[in-house]
Amino acid sequence: PCSPLCSGSAMPETMEISAAAVSGDGTVINVGIKTKGAFQCPECRQKFDTEKAKQLHWKFIHDPNRHQED
């Protein structure tokens, strides 16, 4: 039987990806890191196109008051 992920339909041959969703620079060290952007996170190497995006990243990734134990 087919799993829920196996619908029998093929993936599209081309996929449009927003420039804002692209990360890395082709090197292994920067996989998943947005390296182009005017706003650098003060706590990591991630960069953002807007100050608001940087603030939201910090709030959900680095803010010690938001971290909760499982």
Side-chain angles (χ1 to χ4, degrees):
C2 209
S3 73
L5 297 176
C6 174
S7 64
S9 62
M11 292 290 292
E13 289 188 30
T14 61
M15 181 181 277
E16 189 174 322
I17 300 174
S18 166
V22 175
S23 65
D25 60 4
T27 63
V28 172
I29 198 162
N30 287 326
V31 168
I33 302 294
K34 186 166 176 70
T35 58
K36 295 177 181 165
F39 301 90
Q40 169 85 45
C41 175
E43 299 200 32
C44 68
R45 297 182 299 129
Q46 197 78 283
K47 293 184 180 182
F48 300 90
D49 295 330
T50 66
E51 177 68 24
K52 180 68 174 177
K54 182 189 82 170
Q55 290 172 352
L56 286 169
H57 161 81
W58 189 88
K59 178 180 178 180
F60 288 100
I61 302 300
H62 302 294
D63 185 354
N65 297 320
R66 287 206 42 96
H67 286 235
Q68 299 175 2
E69 295 296 323
D70 290 341

